Amino acid sequence: MGFEQELEQRIRENGQNETLQVAARSFMRESIAAKYSYNFSWLGRPIIQYPQDIVVIQQLIWGIQPDLIIETGIAHGGSIIFSASILELVSACGGREGEVIGIDIDIRPHNRQAIETHPMSKRISMIEGSSISAEVIAEVRKRAAGKKRVMVCLDSNHTHAHVLAELEAYGVLTSVGSYCLVFDTVIEDMPSELSFDRPWGPGDNPKTALKLWLESHPEFAIDKDIGNKLLITVAPDGFLKRIV
Ligand SMILES: C[S@@+](CC[C@H](N)C(=O)[O-])C[C@H]1O[C@@H](n2cnc3c(N)ncnc32)[C@H](O)[C@@H]1O
């Protein structure tokens, strides 16, 4: 059996391995309680992601070579710096040129300054405002017009209503063969106390939003292989591939 076939078979087997699934769910529960996602940085900026997800997003960016990555939720800038840095490597290796648009309702001055002075800033632009405001949506759509390979990452407010509005606004900009990543779908699978004092929780979160949205968007499919490969992820069922 070739390497690729072995890989596919192992991922399928991992996905059916009940012991591994239970261990992964237990790790997710305990690590969310311990606020593990805040432990990391990328090229000097705090990134609020799990390392496992970061590796898979790298695989997607390398494979898709997007012209544009639209990201909602900038925080300290780690995830937009990460995306820009992989785009930089794609370019350095002879691939396509890409840029990142980051959107956040509140870009703190020290975060803005650190992002704007970072070596990766040449591939980044930021928009301050709510990701679901008409002005912000119009601006992003204007900048996305004419882009051939668009990838989308939704990681801002995690309520059902907000993510549904983001999927309507930005999900549809995802190009065929590319992905819309919906973060923090794991909220649906965790006990409500792990949502702390947030306005989201089980029954009202990114997973409930994407399940509803997919009912009227058959051009997208959940990439189950990515879920089976990761097992440890904040985005179970959150890797949406545009198939047509
Ligand atoms: C989880 S953090 C983003 C983490 C970042 N993607 C990373 O990986 O490091 C969520 C961010 O969403 C922002 N946010 C909350 N509500 C928003 C809204 N309505 N529109 C845009 N951004 C929003 C917050 O200000 C916060 O910075």
Side-chain angles (χ1 to χ4, degrees), residues 46-49 73-75 79 103-105 129-131 155-157 162:
I47 183 169
I48 310 169
Q49 297 292 351
I74 294 174
S79 62
I103 304 151
D104 202 293
I105 197 164
S130 175
S131 55
D155 190 24
S156 67
N157 176 321
H162 188 86

Side-chain angles (χ1 to χ4, degrees), residues 32 48 154-156 158 182-188 200 205-207 234-236:
I32 290 171
I48 310 169
L154 304 179
D155 190 24
S156 67
H158 300 310
V182 184
F183 290 98
D184 281 298
T185 48
V186 72
I187 294 165
E188 177 68 358
W200 48 80
N205 58 68
K207 193 186 270 186
V234 301

Side-chain angles (χ1 to χ4, degrees), residues 5-170:
Q5 281 169 307
E6 267 185 39
L7 176 70
E8 281 169 26
Q9 184 179 322
R10 188 174 51 251
I11 288 169
R12 250 193 326 272
E13 285 170 3
N14 282 183
Q16 290 160 359
N17 181 331
E18 190 55 32
T19 312
L20 197 50
Q21 299 278 354
V22 169
R25 267 198 299 277
S26 159
F27 177 76
M28 287 311 299
R29 210 171 34 246
E30 296 306 322
S31 60
I32 290 171
K35 307 210 167 167
Y36 170 86
S37 64
Y38 297 92
N39 285 356
F40 306 98
S41 63
W42 189 267
L43 302 185
R45 293 307 300 157
I47 183 169
I48 310 169
Q49 297 292 351
Y50 276 48
Q52 290 80 358
D53 287 322
I54 294 172
V55 170
V56 161
I57 302 166
Q58 167 274 138
Q59 291 185 207
L60 292 178
I61 297 175
W62 181 259
I64 296 162
Q65 302 201 3
D67 322 314
L68 176 64
I69 301 177
I70 300 166
E71 290 199 25
T72 67
I74 294 174
H76 304 268
S79 62
I80 55 172
I81 298 280
F82 163 75
S83 295
S85 72
I86 304 301
L87 291 173
E88 183 74 8
L89 285 173
V90 168
S91 165
C93 295
R96 295 163 63 94
E97 296 297 328
E99 61 173 300
V100 182
I101 300 177
I103 304 151
D104 202 293
I105 197 164
D106 179 19
I107 308 175
R108 307 254 163 96
H110 63 282
N111 287 329
R112 177 183 286 281
Q113 205 227 350
I115 296 163
E116 286 179 348
T117 55
H118 194 280
M120 288 302 122
S121 69
K122 61 186 174 191
R123 292 189 181 268
I124 293 172
S125 56
M126 291 180 281
I127 299 175
E128 188 164 22
S130 175
S131 55
I132 59 169
S133 81
E135 299 75 35
V136 171
I137 293 169
E139 179 61 26
V140 175
R141 290 198 165 169
K142 194 170 82 192
R143 296 199 208 172
K147 301 288 185 188
K148 292 197 168 47
R149 299 188 194 180
V150 180
M151 186 171 157
V152 175
C153 302
L154 304 179
D155 190 24
S156 67
N157 176 321
H158 300 310
T159 62
H160 175 97
H162 188 86
V163 177
L164 193 58
E166 285 191 331
L167 283 163
E168 288 296 348
Y170 308 112

